[in-house]
Amino acid sequence: MAAALGAGSGSAGPPGLPNSVPGHTALPAVAVWEWQDEFGRWRPYRGSVCSFIEQALQAPAQKGRRSGAGLASSSIPLGQADATLAPYVIDIPSLMQFRQDTGTMRSVRRHLFSQDSAAGQGIVWEWQNDEGGWSPYEMKVCVFLEQAFTHGLRHVDLSSLGYNYDIDFVLLVQTNKTSKFRRGIQRRVDTPYPVTTATGPLHMAVACSCQQCLLNSGTGPITTRYRHSMINLPSSSAVPQVSSRTAALSSSGLGFVPYNKPTLSGARSAPRLNTQSAWALPQPGGAGGPSPGLSASNGVSVPNLLVEMPKPSKVNQALAGWWKSLIASVMDTVTVNPSEHERVVRKYLEELRGAPADEDCIICMEKLASPSGYSDACECKTIKPEAVGQLTKCQHAFHLLCVLAMYANGNKDGSLQCPSCKTIYGEKTGTQPKGKMEVSTFTQSLPGHQDCGTIQIVYSISRGIQGPEHPNPGMPYTARGFPRYCYLPDNEKGRKVLDLLRVAWKRRLIFTVGTSSTTGESNTVVWNEIHHKTEMDTNLSGHGYPDPNYLDNVLAELAAQGVTEACLRQ
């Protein structure tokens, strides 16, 4: 892991980040990077990881000052700092964390705290999650708790920070003030966060008027504890927002990344990185301020917005470019089986005689009129690098060689999914490990469904060894928190959802092997894009009832996996 920057480093903050306010004296501070989970909570990276991010941002700028040019790093692979974060990359221009194997995107942010705060001392407060592991509070809460703890307080109320919890420092428990549910908490000392410089007031544990709070509008107290519950969520703009357990990169209209870890190499084109950061990069000798447009991505509750973009964005180019440079350096050339893989590709795509001159292939990020970006990575004697095909239903066009490489690198189950609109061709299957799905009913009603009983689903999966379809074939995987209990109303729509969940289970779509967003553990069984309700009588966590839109939303999630009513008639 990267070592934390020493207090005596005296280095200026990374270029383009909100460190400077004209007319204020520079002060030492520590920088904390956090990512936003699916419930709208901000989770700090460890101090060693934050040090690596800061160093990666500073290195090009320092080199540029010596040579008179240079821009901050655009994409930062976190696996170089922490092996458990190997699937993750931070894209600086978009302030997003990108997961390589699934394409999931999450918001990230950077805050500055005093050197004598919990962050400066490497102190992290954590709560015990449902899987028995420990999850950190966001750093402003850690700072607040440490201040109270060092002052000898026995109890504190987190409502000023937007959390509906009481903290007992004697018993080391967190109590939900509404449901009275209790969780354990702990205080852990880790690597201190990296030292940088700041001008103006630093971020405090409670609502404050520091520059980063005013500009990013996501750091003050949350007046209501919004959680991911598939009901009406607050929006910081007029754009309608759509809930999702995760936001797949491809679902957001961004560049497609073949799953699993790519076995492609030698991508022909060089990275085309986005150099227009949301935090304005300063010119040599100047200071840049953050863009006011950053507030939406740094807000407290940011449900991921699914949008279809007709043209690839600059974020596409940054991520696709990073992928190409990475896989070209570590992978060998793939030779696909033309008799099987090409048959699937040609089954669902029609070859075009002339490629659209101004359209990009969103798989390789090259113009369709140019050869495939994977022409040096994927060998096939029967498909030319310049060949372009159009999917028969949705009419989206790609290089045939790119689709062939995408298929060869996936489950190879005879199905294709359009990387642009997600239309499924054939029967999509997943990578769920072997297990058991059991169903029962009882008369007790769920909140919001008092007119019927309850369906209980119990999923059981045991630990095992990863197969060729998983991220790390041959390695063990864990199965935490099983059996898992889930609930549906026992009415017509609830029974319809149940029937479709049975189909999804048979197709191995409900779980997969990956990295837990709750604990950060890799090589473990995790949920796979189909939201389940695991609590009956409270929705404060986002996992329970009432939730009037849940059934409609889970039907939409199932449809996105190709599981619809038509499957029940087969």
Side-chain angles (χ1 to χ4, degrees), residues 77 89 100 262 264 321-331:
V89 178
Q100 304 168 30
L264 308 177
W322 182 89
W323 260 93
K324 291 180 183 180
S325 61
L326 172 69
I327 60 182
S329 65
V330 298
M331 298 296 178

Side-chain angles (χ1 to χ4, degrees), residues 424-439:
I424 295 173
Y425 295 78
E427 183 177 296
K428 179 181 178 181
T429 60
T431 60
Q432 176 181 287
K434 292 181 180 180
K436 183 168 57 175
M437 175 183 180
E438 299 175 290
V439 178

Side-chain angles (χ1 to χ4, degrees), residues 34 36 40-42 109 111 113 138-141 158-163 202-226 295 298-301:
E34 297 174 296
Q36 191 175 42
R41 295 181 296 229
W42 289 98
R109 70 181 184 183
H111 271 165
F113 293 88
E138 63 179 290
M139 186 50 66
K140 70 174 183 181
V141 177
L158 297 186
S159 59
S160 63
L161 297 172
Y163 290 87
L202 299 176
H203 186 68
M204 305 300 291
V206 294
C208 68
S209 58
C210 71
Q211 185 195 26
Q212 52 198 330
C213 285
L214 296 176
L215 289 173
N216 296 329
S217 70
T219 57
I222 313 169
T223 54
T224 304
R225 184 59 182 151
Y226 293 113
S295 59
N298 275 3
V300 172
S301 183

Side-chain angles (χ1 to χ4, degrees), residues 506-559:
K506 291 179 181 178
R507 295 185 182 180
R508 304 175 65 194
L509 294 170
I510 292 180
F511 295 96
T512 188
V513 174
T515 301
S516 170
S517 63
T518 304
T519 66
E521 180 183 8
S522 300
N523 301 309
T524 190
V525 179
V526 295
W527 293 106
N528 187 38
E529 310 298 329
I530 301 175
H531 194 95
H532 283 66
K533 292 295 188 182
T534 56
E535 298 175 2
M536 289 184 60
D537 54 359
T538 175
N539 200 26
L540 293 174
S541 66
H543 297 309
Y545 292 89
D547 192 340
N549 296 328
Y550 169 66
L551 295 178
D552 288 330
N553 280 298
V554 76
L555 286 171
E557 290 181 340
L558 285 160

Side-chain angles (χ1 to χ4, degrees), residues 28 70 97 115 145 158 207 313 358 363 458 490 561:
Q97 171 191 275
Q115 274 190 286
L145 292 177
L158 297 186
S313 71
D358 296 328
I363 300 176
V458 182
D490 192 7
Q561 301 291 330

